[in-house]
Amino acid sequence: MRPLAWVGVILIIAGLVIVAMKGIPYTQSHNEVEVGPLKVTTQERGLVTPIVGVAAIVIGGVLVFAGRKTA
């Protein structure tokens, strides 16, 4: 298999995990204000939706198809 096909396989596996978990939550921290020893941060929570997983599966399939060896 060519490297392009391996990338496709990895995308398919990641897409399946995202769809199986019904999305992957994440938290992102931001430093808002820092004055001397005082530091105020905020946390933003988000969700990688299953639609992203389906898109990864489709794109991975295209890459596997494009990266297969020709005889």
Side-chain angles (χ1 to χ4, degrees):
M1 280 170 86
R2 294 184 179 170
L4 191 63
W6 283 110
V7 172
V9 169
I10 291 170
L11 276 174
I12 291 171
I13 293 171
L16 288 173
V17 168
I18 292 171
V19 170
M21 293 180 64
K22 298 179 183 168
I24 296 179
Y26 67 90
T27 304
Q28 189 174 17
S29 296
H30 299 283
N31 286 338
E32 295 294 324
V33 178
E34 190 170 342
V35 178
L38 180 64
K39 181 167 66 169
V40 177
T41 61
T42 60
Q43 289 185 343
E44 178 182 339
R45 294 182 181 180
L47 179 71
V48 177
T49 61
I51 295 171
V52 174
V54 172
I57 293 169
V58 171
I59 293 170
V62 169
L63 291 178
V64 167
F65 182 75
R68 63 186 179 154
K69 290 184 179 180
T70 57

